[in-house]
Amino acid sequence: MADPWPQPTLAPRDPNSILVLQTGEIEILGRMPWSSNGTYLTSVAGTEAMGDHVLPAIYKPASGEKPLWDFPAGLWRREVAAYETARWLGWWIVPPTVEVEGPLGIGSLQYFIPARFDEHYFTFGTDPQLRNQLERICLFDLITNNTDRKGGHILIDQEDHCWGIDHGLSFHEEFKLRTVLWDFAGDELSPEDVEAIEHLTAASIPEGLTELLTPAEIQALMQRASWVLENPVFPSDPTGRRYPWPMV
């Protein structure tokens, strides 16, 4: 059976992927099942000048969000902010994600990774060849205060590259970390990852990020990054309760 999404004609790391997402024509193909908010699989067609490229993408419009008591409206902004933060760190761990005015209004549009969808963290998490990638996602979640890192929110593609998705419940100024990634507790951070976080704390905050998060959220982000540098080991969960539900 053919895949229900178009095959991308550009790789996620290709700079033109962002341009197609930003300027392409969005066609909704269907709603994604089991999503609590409106989440849509789309096909994004680039202009002729860009080579008629086509990308599958996930569209999360603001109009499809259900109100939450512990997060302000506009979860789609956090999806874009996660990508911007990952790029700020120099890490390819979040698929290209942009702000768009789509068929259902303003929202986020993220490159849809054609992953091995029968796999998730609990099936490949012990693979030693993936450890460095998974440690980086773990560290990213700590800095961005991800409250919903389920095992199914880590994808692995055909090239064994791991991607983190679903970051709408991130960046809260109050510490709310909930994740399945506790397997590295007590291990030291790699020198490369420490260097990336040092760059984040020393560099100017990207203008795009200041338009997506509040000043208090950005301040909390920087405080968490500084804390990591002061304590360069992966933390443990002394409560035993910092897990999302369901875990996959």
Side-chain angles (χ1 to χ4, degrees), residues 5-130:
W5 56 84
Q7 291 301 307
T9 60
L10 292 168
R13 300 192 194 199
D14 190 311
N16 287 319
S17 290
I18 280 287
L19 296 177
V20 171
L21 292 174
Q22 290 173 329
T23 63
E25 182 177 349
I26 303 169
E27 176 188 359
I28 293 178
L29 302 178
R31 182 163 179 167
M32 299 296 287
W34 307 299
S35 297
S36 56
N37 290 324
T39 302
Y40 301 89
L41 175 64
T42 69
S43 174
V44 185
T47 63
E48 182 178 355
M50 298 181 63
D52 293 326
H53 288 291
V54 177
L55 297 179
I58 295 297
Y59 171 46
K60 294 185 177 182
S63 60
E65 293 182 7
K66 297 178 181 178
L68 297 175
W69 68 269
D70 57 343
F71 268 86
L75 301 184
W76 66 269
R77 292 188 180 90
R78 299 167 193 272
E79 298 279 4
V80 184
Y83 172 72
E84 294 293 342
T85 303
R87 300 308 308 134
W88 188 12
L89 287 161
W91 295 348
W92 279 102
I93 56 176
V94 178
T97 312
V98 301
E99 173 183 338
V100 295
E101 185 68 42
L104 301 177
I106 196 168
S108 64
L109 190 67
Q110 182 175 88
Y111 186 114
F112 179 79
I113 300 294
R116 303 188 324 237
F117 293 113
D118 57 340
E119 299 187 53
H120 49 72
Y121 177 70
F122 296 110
T123 67
F124 57 70
T126 57
D127 186 339
Q129 296 185 9
L130 302 177

Side-chain angles (χ1 to χ4, degrees), residues 36 90 188 200 243:
S36 56
E188 293 185 359
L200 182 147
Y243 287 85

